[in-house]
C-alpha cells in the first residue's frame, strides 16, 4: 500500500467529517483510525473491512476507506470462507445502518442508505474480485504458453541432435564397416570391429535420447481431451466436436501428430486471440482423420501462419503420411491436418 494512497484516503475522509461538523480530538482520532486501518489492509484485509464498517457506522463517514478496503478484500478473496466472512460483514453493516437510520429523526431514507452500501462496499468488493480473476486468468494463460514454448524448444533440440550427431555417427559407422571388410592385420581388424560396434551403440543411444526428448511419453489422440481440459482450466474457451465413426490410429506417428496439431492450434489461438472461442474438430473419414482447430482472426496480423512451430508441425504431419494446411480467412483462422488411418498410407506418402 503506497503512502500516497494512505494519505489521500485519510485527507478525503477527514475532510468529509470536518465538513459534516466534526472537530477537535474526535476529528484527529478518526484520522488516526483511518490511517491505521489503511496500514493494516496489507496483511489483514478482512479485519480492515470490519474496522472500516465500524468506523462508517460510528462516524457516518469513512467513505473512501470503505471503498479501498472493499476493493482490497475482493482482490484477496481466495476461498469460500472469505466469501462467507465478507457477506456476513456486509449484512451486519446493512442491518446496523438501517437500524441507525430508523432511530435517527430526520435521517436518511432507507433506500439512500442501501444505495450507499452498494456503491461504497459491494461494488468495490466485486470490482476487486473481478480484477483478481482477470490476473489469475492471464497468469494461467502465460503458464500454458510457456509450457508449449518449452516443448517446442525440446523438439528443436531433438531435431538438431538427430540431424547433426546422427549424420556424423552414420559416417563413422559406414567408414568402420568399410574397414571391417578390408584386408587388415588381426589386431587392427579387432580394433576396427570394436570401433564399428561403438559407433552403432552410440547411434542407438542417440536414437533413444532423441525419442525421449521428442515424444515425452508420446501423447496421442487419446490425450486431446486432457489437453482441452487443461486449456479450459487455464481460462481458454475451447469446444471439441467429433463426427464420423471413431477408430484408433494404428500409426503412433499419426496419433502423436494429431495431438500436436491440436496443441499448436490452441496455443496459437490463446496467444494471438485471447478470450475468443476455440473450436477443435475431429472428423473421421473412411480412410483418414481430419483434425482442425479454428478461432476468430485477430484484429492485427500475426505470425500464426508462418512461425517455426507450424514449420516443425508440418514436418511431423508429413512424416506421418498426412497433409497440413493453414486457412487464414477474413473472419476465421483454421489449422487443418489430414492424417491417414493406416501406416501403409503413411509410408506411401513419404
Amino acid at each position: 500500500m503506497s503512502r500516497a494512497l494512505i494519505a489521500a484516503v485519510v485527507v478525503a475522509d477527514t475532510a468529509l467529517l470536518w465538513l459534516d461538523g466534526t472537530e477537535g480530538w474526535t476529528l484527529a482520532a478518526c484520522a488516526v483510525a483511518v490511517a491505521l486501518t489503511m496500514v493494516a489492509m496489507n496483511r489483514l484485509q478482512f479485519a480492515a473491512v470490519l474496522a472500516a464498517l465500524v468506523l462508517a457506522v460510528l462516524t457516518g463517514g469513512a467513505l473512501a476507506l470503505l471503498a479501498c478496503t472493499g476493493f482490497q478484500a475482493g482482490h484477496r478473496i481466495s476461498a469460500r470462507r472469505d466469501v462467507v466472512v465478507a457477506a456476513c460483514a456486509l449484512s451486519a453493516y446493512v442491518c446496523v445502518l438501517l437500524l441507525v437510520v430508523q432511530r435517527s429523526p430526520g435521517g436518511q431514507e432507507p433506500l439512500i442508505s442501501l444505495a450507499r452500501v452498494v456503491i461504497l462496499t459491494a461494488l468495490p468488493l466485486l470490482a476487486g474480485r473481478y480484477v483478481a480473476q482477470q490476473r489469475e486468468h492471464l497468469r494461467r494463460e502465460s503458464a500454458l504458453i510457456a509450457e508449449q514454448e518449452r516443448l517446442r524448444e525440446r523438439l528443436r533440440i531433438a531435431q538438431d541432435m538427430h540431424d547433426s550427431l546422427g549424420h556424423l555417427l552414420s559416417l563413422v559407422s559406414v567408414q568402420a564397416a568399410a574397414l571391417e571388410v578390408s584386408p587388415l592385420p588381426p589386431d587392427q581388424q579387432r580394433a576396427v570391429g570394436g570401433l564399428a560396434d561403438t559407433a552403432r551403440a552410440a547411434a542407438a543411444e542417440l536414437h533413444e535420447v532423441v525419442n525421449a526428448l521428442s515424444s515425452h511419453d508420446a501423447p496421442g489422440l487419446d490425450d486431446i481431451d486432457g489437453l482441452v481440459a487443461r486449456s479450459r482450466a487455464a481460462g481458454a474457451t475451447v469446444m471439441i466436436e467429433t463426427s464420423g465413426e471413431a477408430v484408433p490410429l494404428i500409426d503412433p506417428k499419426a496419433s502423436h501428430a494429431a495431438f500436436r496439431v491440436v496443441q499448436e492450434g490452441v496455443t496459437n489461438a490463446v496467444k494471438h486471440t485471447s478470450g475468443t472461442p476455440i473450436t477443435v474438430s475431429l472428423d473421421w473419414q473412411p480412410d483418414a482423420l481430419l483434425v482442425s482447430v479454428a478461432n476468430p482472426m485477430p484484429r492485427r496480423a500475426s505470425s500464426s501462419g508462418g512461425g517455426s512451430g507450424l514449420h516443425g508441425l508440418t514436418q511431423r504431419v508429413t512424416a506421418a503420411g498426412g497433409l497440413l494446411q493453414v486457412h487464414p480467412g477474413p473472419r476465421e483462422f483454421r489449422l487443418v491436418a489430414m492424417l491417414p488411418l493406416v501406416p501403409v498410407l503413411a509410408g506411401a506418402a513419404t
Side-chain angles (χ1 to χ4, degrees), residues 168-184 188-200:
L168 294 176
L169 288 175
S170 298
L171 292 178
V172 173
S173 298
V174 171
Q175 293 173 354
L179 290 175
E180 279 185 307
V181 298
S182 62
L184 292 174
Q188 296 183 5
Q189 192 76 23
R190 288 192 296 271
V192 170
L195 175 63
D197 293 339
T198 302
R200 285 190 287 267

Side-chain angles (χ1 to χ4, degrees), residues 60 63 93 97-98 100-114 116-117:
L63 306 184
Y93 176 60
L97 188 61
L98 291 178
V100 171
V101 170
Q102 289 179 355
R103 293 188 177 183
S104 299
Q108 296 175 330
E109 292 292 335
L111 290 180
I112 298 177
S113 301
L114 288 177
R116 173 184 171 186
V117 172

Side-chain angles (χ1 to χ4, degrees), residues 205-264:
E205 291 185 5
L206 175 63
H207 182 69
E208 293 179 0
V209 171
V210 170
N211 282 340
L213 287 173
S214 59
S215 64
H216 188 55
D217 294 331
L221 191 63
D222 295 335
D223 299 297
I224 291 179
D225 289 337
L227 173 66
V228 171
R230 290 192 298 272
S231 301
R232 288 173 179 170
T237 305
V238 186
M239 299 174 292
I240 184 167
E241 301 175 349
T242 59
S243 58
E245 184 179 357
V247 297
L249 290 176
I250 302 177
D251 189 1
K253 291 183 179 179
S255 180
H256 185 55
F259 176 85
R260 294 302 182 193
V261 168
V262 176
Q263 184 182 56
E264 180 72 18

Side-chain angles (χ1 to χ4, degrees), residues 6-350:
I6 295 175
V9 172
V10 172
V11 170
D13 283 340
T14 304
L16 288 175
L17 290 175
W18 179 75
L19 292 174
D20 199 35
T22 305
E23 297 179 354
W25 290 105
T26 303
L27 186 63
C30 291
V32 172
V34 170
L36 292 177
T37 304
M38 289 292 294
V39 172
M41 191 165 53
N42 284 329
R43 296 184 178 180
L44 304 172
Q45 293 83 20
F46 292 100
V49 172
L50 295 176
L53 293 175
V54 172
L55 284 173
V57 171
L58 295 178
T59 64
L63 306 184
L65 181 64
L66 276 176
C68 286
T69 54
F71 180 85
Q72 190 71 8
H75 190 268
R76 296 297 179 90
I77 287 177
S78 59
R80 184 176 298 177
R81 176 181 58 85
D82 299 335
V83 177
V84 173
V85 171
C88 291
L90 289 179
S91 300
Y93 176 60
V94 171
C95 294
V96 173
L97 188 61
L98 291 178
L99 183 62
V100 171
V101 170
Q102 289 179 355
R103 293 188 177 183
S104 299
Q108 296 175 330
E109 292 292 335
L111 290 180
I112 298 177
S113 301
L114 288 177
R116 173 184 171 186
V117 172
V118 172
I119 295 174
L120 297 177
T121 55
L123 289 184
L125 191 70
L126 294 176
R129 186 58 188 152
Y130 175 78
V131 171
Q133 289 178 339
Q134 289 298 109
R135 289 183 178 178
E136 179 66 16
H137 172 72
L138 293 176
R139 186 192 67 80
R140 289 181 178 180
E141 279 192 354
S142 300
L144 177 63
I145 293 174
E147 175 65 16
Q148 305 308 327
E149 293 295 338
R150 185 182 67 83
L151 292 175
R152 289 179 185 174
E153 181 63 16
R154 182 168 58 193
L155 291 175
R156 186 191 65 79
I157 294 174
Q159 291 172 355
D160 289 345
M161 290 178 61
H162 181 272
D163 294 341
S164 59
L165 295 181
H167 176 69
L168 294 176
L169 288 175
S170 298
L171 292 178
V172 173
S173 298
V174 171
Q175 293 173 354
L179 290 175
E180 279 185 307
V181 298
S182 62
L184 292 174
D187 55 344
Q188 296 183 5
Q189 192 76 23
R190 288 192 296 271
V192 170
L195 175 63
D197 293 339
T198 302
R200 285 190 287 267
E205 291 185 5
L206 175 63
H207 182 69
E208 293 179 0
V209 171
V210 170
N211 282 340
L213 287 173
S214 59
S215 64
H216 188 55
D217 294 331
L221 191 63
D222 295 335
D223 299 297
I224 291 179
D225 289 337
L227 173 66
V228 171
R230 290 192 298 272
S231 301
R232 288 173 179 170
T237 305
V238 186
M239 299 174 292
I240 184 167
E241 301 175 349
T242 59
S243 58
E245 184 179 357
V247 297
L249 290 176
I250 302 177
D251 189 1
K253 291 183 179 179
S255 180
H256 185 55
F259 176 85
R260 294 302 182 193
V261 168
V262 176
Q263 184 182 56
E264 180 72 18
V266 172
T267 301
N268 279 339
V270 170
K271 181 186 299 183
H272 299 291
T273 58
S274 176
T276 59
I278 307 167
T279 303
V280 176
S281 300
L282 302 177
D283 183 14
W284 299 90
Q285 300 292 328
D287 57 353
L289 170 63
L290 298 181
V291 183
S292 67
V293 182
N295 59 274
M297 282 291 291
R299 294 181 180 180
R300 297 181 179 180
S302 65
S303 59
S304 300
S308 59
L310 288 181
H311 176 71
L313 185 62
T314 301
Q315 294 179 342
R316 184 178 298 278
V317 172
T318 303
L323 178 66
L324 181 71
Q325 293 184 346
V326 178
H327 300 283
R331 296 184 178 180
E332 183 182 69
F333 180 88
R334 183 177 292 270
L335 182 66
V336 182
M338 181 186 68
L339 295 165
L341 299 183
V342 292
V344 176
L345 294 179
T350 55

